[in-house]
Each structure stands twice: as C-alpha cells, then as structure tokens.
C-alpha cells in the first residue's frame, strides 16, 4: 500500500550545521509530496511541497526535490537555527475514488543547540 | 483568515468514559478530516467528510468512534467507551475541496485516557 518512511530521530545538530532528513515513499500513481512541521504545542504547518517529478519545493531556507527515480523527497537546509527545532513530517497526497488523502511518515524530531 | 478551531485543547478521562471533540473548519472549506496522532507516530486519517457526507471512514474504529458534520460546517468526533490506547492528539483539518490541496490543520485536542 501507499506509505512514507522517514529517517528516525531525534536528530541533534549545532546551530549553523547542515540538515538532511531522509524521506522515501511507496505509492501507486503520481502523488504530490509535502513536508510539514510541528512546533511544540502547535498544529501542523505546511513547510513546502512538490507536485511532480523533479519539482523543487522551498520555504524558509528549506528545500526538497521530488525524485521519482529514487522515490525520495529528502529535506535539506544549509544552516539550521535554534528556532528550527521541531518535528518534521514527510507526507504524500494520493488520490482515491473518494478524493485526496494525506499519508504521513512517522516524523523526525530535530533539536538544534546553540 | 481564521484558522481551523478545535476544542478542548486538553482532555483527561478514565477508561470506559465517553468524550467528544469539536472542530470548526475554515469558512468555505467543503472537506473536513479527522486525524489521530499517537505519540511518536505520524497522523493517521480517521474520517473524511465532503460537505456533510462521509467520503472515507475506512480507518475509523466504528465500534467506539463516531463522527458527524451537521450542515456541512462544524464537526464532532466522539469516543465511547474510551480505551487506554485512544490516548493521542486528535487533529482536525479542512481543505477547499476533495482534491485535498490547501489542507489546513487545527492545533489539535490532546486526549489522555487513564
């Protein structure tokens, strides 16, 4: 079935370090891919998205490229800040007869130390 | 634009008791979703409404969970009777239409069953 697998956390980095959070997916058809972020005590916020192969989503210094050949959508940031500490979820949007459904990975907790 | 409103923010109940959660989606959003997020896992879709009709409830434990969306606006999710394993954050989301784009999540209700 359709699924998303993320690298396990927690990931602990020093401020200004390079970030990569791996995400791979299994899906029939052509899903859209998303990264969501959840800050402590808050709801899920859309961070970035890509709707087709080779698209690059970007926002707030984060980037991810939709790689159909490797079924991946890895999240990257060149220089993390303490304020980036949160849980990051990779998700795919797949269409069924009933409509669109978001399927999430298990989440990766990021902790950035000053 | 006002976001997706949920209440209560927190709820603690004893097992076998009943509980209800409320969601008010973004005005004009036809599609409403309830997700269950167990600690350490990604959100899992429980039920999807299109206006006031159920589109997908395949993951809803119907022996104890029920949901309704009266008049195609507000929605309530009920658990009766609650079990320890129902402890989770219950997230409501809405989108403009059934294609799923424009998903916006509420802050969630954290349920603890003791």
């Amino acid at each position: 079935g359709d699924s998303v697998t993320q690298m396990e956390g927690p990931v602990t980095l020093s401020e200004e370090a390079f970030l990569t959070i791996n995400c791979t997916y299994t899906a029939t058809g052509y899903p859209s891919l998303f990264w969501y972020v959840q800050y402590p005590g808050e709801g899920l916020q859309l961070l970035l998205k890509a709707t087709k192969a080779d698209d690059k989503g970007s926002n707030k210094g984060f980037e991810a490229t939709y790689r159909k050949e490797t079924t991946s959508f890895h999240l990257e940031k060149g220089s993390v800040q303490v304020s980036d500490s949160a849980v990051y979820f990779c998700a795919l949007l797949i269409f069924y007869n009933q409509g669109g459904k978001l399927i999430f990975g298990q989440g990766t907790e990021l902790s950035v130390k000053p | 634009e006002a976001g997706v409103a949920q209440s209560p923010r927190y709820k603690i109940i004893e097992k076998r008791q009943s509980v209800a959660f409320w969601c008010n989606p973004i005005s004009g959003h036809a599609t409403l979703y309830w997700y269950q997020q167990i600690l350490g896992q990604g959100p899992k879709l429980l039920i999807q409404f299109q206006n006031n009709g159920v589109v997908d409830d395949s993951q809803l434990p119907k022996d104890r969970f029920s949901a309704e969306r009266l008049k195609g606006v507000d929605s309530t999710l009920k658990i009766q009777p609650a079990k320890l394993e129902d402890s989770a954050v219950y997230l409501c989301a809405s989108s403009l239409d059934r294609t799923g784009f424009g998903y916006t999540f509420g802050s969630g209700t954290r349920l603890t069953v003791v």
Side-chain angles (χ1 to χ4, degrees), chain A residues 66-86:
Chain A
Y66 189 163
R67 301 286 188 201
K68 189 169 183 292
E69 63 276 13
T70 54
T71 62
S72 65
F73 192 54
H74 305 320
L75 183 68
E76 297 182 335
K77 186 175 185 183
S79 177
V80 294
Q81 306 300 312
V82 172
S83 57
D84 294 326
S85 297

Side-chain angles (χ1 to χ4, degrees), chain B residues 19 22 36 43 100:
Chain B
V19 64
W22 173 82
Q36 179 192 57

Side-chain angles (χ1 to χ4, degrees), chain B:
Chain B
E1 166 179 85
V4 176
Q6 290 188 248
S7 66
R9 285 300 306 273
Y10 306 93
K11 190 74 176 178
I12 301 174
I13 62 172
E14 296 183 351
K15 59 184 178 183
R16 292 188 289 274
Q17 286 187 323
S18 63
V19 64
F21 314 126
W22 173 82
C23 173
N24 182 234
I26 291 175
S27 177
H29 277 198
T31 310
L32 185 146
Y33 314 80
W34 283 102
Y35 284 81
Q36 179 192 57
Q37 186 179 10
I38 293 173
L39 186 65
Q41 299 181 20
K44 182 185 79 173
L45 180 68
L46 292 176
I47 189 167
Q48 177 180 349
F49 291 93
Q50 179 69 19
N51 295 309
N52 61 347
V54 175
V55 171
D56 182 1
D57 63 357
S58 57
Q59 299 298 307
L60 188 73
K62 299 181 187 65
D63 58 334
R64 298 183 300 107
F65 285 64
S66 64
E68 60 181 7
R69 189 180 184 198
L70 298 175
K71 300 181 181 178
V73 183
D74 293 7
S75 177
T76 57
L77 176 69
K78 297 179 182 178
I79 308 175
Q80 182 178 12
K83 293 185 175 181
L84 295 177
E85 59 260 36
D86 298 332
S87 295
V89 175
Y90 291 85
L91 294 165
C92 180
S94 68
S95 67
L96 194 59
D97 59 33
R98 65 189 295 168
T99 66
F101 282 95
Y103 259 81
T104 303
F105 285 87
S107 297
T109 296
R110 182 177 297 278
L111 173 67
T112 302
V113 182
V114 298

